Amino acid sequence: MKSKVIFTGLFSLLLLAGCQPNQTTTPSSTTNQSSETTVTSTNKTEESSTTAGSAASTDSSSSQTANPDIKVSADRAIELFQNKYPDAAITSLELDSDWGSYFYKIEGVDDQNEYSVKINAMDEKLEAENPEQLDRDEQNGKKKSEDGLDVSNLISIEEAGKIAVEKVGAGTATDWDLDKELGTTYWDVKVKNGNQTTNVKINSQTGEVLSSEIDD
């Protein structure tokens, strides 16, 4: 009887051991988490590539409208002139590359003298010529009042160039002159398109095209 009980107990233990589940497989939750991590990482990489591509496209677009040889704005060039001659009114401003690279040439007058400076459009270096005394009939504010330009709220040279090119239909803005006629200060922008050159006059405050003329 005792031997039968012992045999029955051993049989039960063997049966229980055979029914235990195999625990060596990887939990499904771990596998799912790894898969999600891979997908998330891939999505972030794609987003980064898209963002970089968009930024490159924007930079490319900007480079088509901005002249890399012109780092100094017209407003900054005017400020540099006025810092040197605070009592002078600006009577002329030109931006071109006649000297091999882009320079501003600015002229102005006060009650007694006329001034002229050249400003490098890349690094703001200013070179001033010796002042010249005005003729007697131009002194005491007469020339200053008659020829002084309105340099407040100017549209930028980039904007003026864009307007001029759109008016012509194609080409590149190469030269800018700030002048005055019948009391209106305007940008005179030269646009080159192949062998053709067109001068476009633009209101320097509003951007309105005043005239367009093809050079002979």
Side-chain angles (χ1 to χ4, degrees), residues 172-183:
T172 303
T174 60
D175 301 78
W176 294 257
D177 293 345
L178 193 64
D179 210 335
K180 185 171 76 170
E181 185 175 347
L182 300 177

Side-chain angles (χ1 to χ4, degrees), residues 178-193:
L178 193 64
D179 210 335
K180 185 171 76 170
E181 185 175 347
L182 300 177
T184 299
T185 300
Y186 62 87
W187 283 113
D188 188 353
V189 183
K190 182 181 291 185
V191 177
K192 290 187 177 181
N193 183 24

Side-chain angles (χ1 to χ4, degrees), residues 39-194:
V39 172
T40 301
S41 176
T42 301
N43 289 341
K44 286 183 178 180
T45 302
E46 291 176 352
E47 290 175 0
S48 298
S49 299
T50 301
T51 302
S54 176
S57 176
T58 301
D59 289 343
S60 176
S61 176
S62 298
S63 66
Q64 293 174 6
T65 57
N67 191 319
D69 295 325
I70 303 173
K71 301 295 186 183
V72 181
S73 69
D75 283 341
R76 177 56 180 162
I78 290 170
E79 181 183 9
L80 292 171
F81 178 89
Q82 292 174 333
N83 287 343
K84 187 168 183 62
Y85 304 114
D87 296 327
I90 292 175
T91 57
S92 174
L93 181 150
E94 301 175 8
L95 174 61
D96 55 47
S97 56
D98 289 347
W99 294 280
S101 57
Y102 274 97
F103 282 85
Y104 288 93
K105 182 178 180 181
I106 303 179
E107 296 179 351
V109 297
D110 57 20
D111 289 344
Q112 302 297 324
N113 298 308
E114 184 172 15
Y115 307 96
S116 179
V117 303
K118 189 168 68 173
I119 300 172
N120 191 309
M122 285 291 289
D123 58 15
E124 300 187 1
K125 182 179 178 180
L126 185 150
E127 298 177 12
E129 297 181 6
N130 292 328
E132 295 183 4
Q133 188 172 21
L134 294 170
D135 295 337
R136 188 179 297 274
D137 61 349
E138 295 177 328
Q139 296 179 3
N140 301 318
K142 183 172 177 56
K143 184 174 179 63
K144 183 178 181 179
S145 176
E146 291 179 352
D147 296 347
L149 304 178
D150 182 1
V151 295
S152 63
N153 302 315
L154 293 177
I155 62 172
S156 67
I157 57 173
E158 290 82 8
E159 182 65 19
K162 180 180 178 182
I163 293 170
V165 171
E166 288 178 351
K167 176 63 178 177
V168 175
T172 303
T174 60
D175 301 78
W176 294 257
D177 293 345
L178 193 64
D179 210 335
K180 185 171 76 170
E181 185 175 347
L182 300 177
T184 299
T185 300
Y186 62 87
W187 283 113
D188 188 353
V189 183
K190 182 181 291 185
V191 177
K192 290 187 177 181
N193 183 24

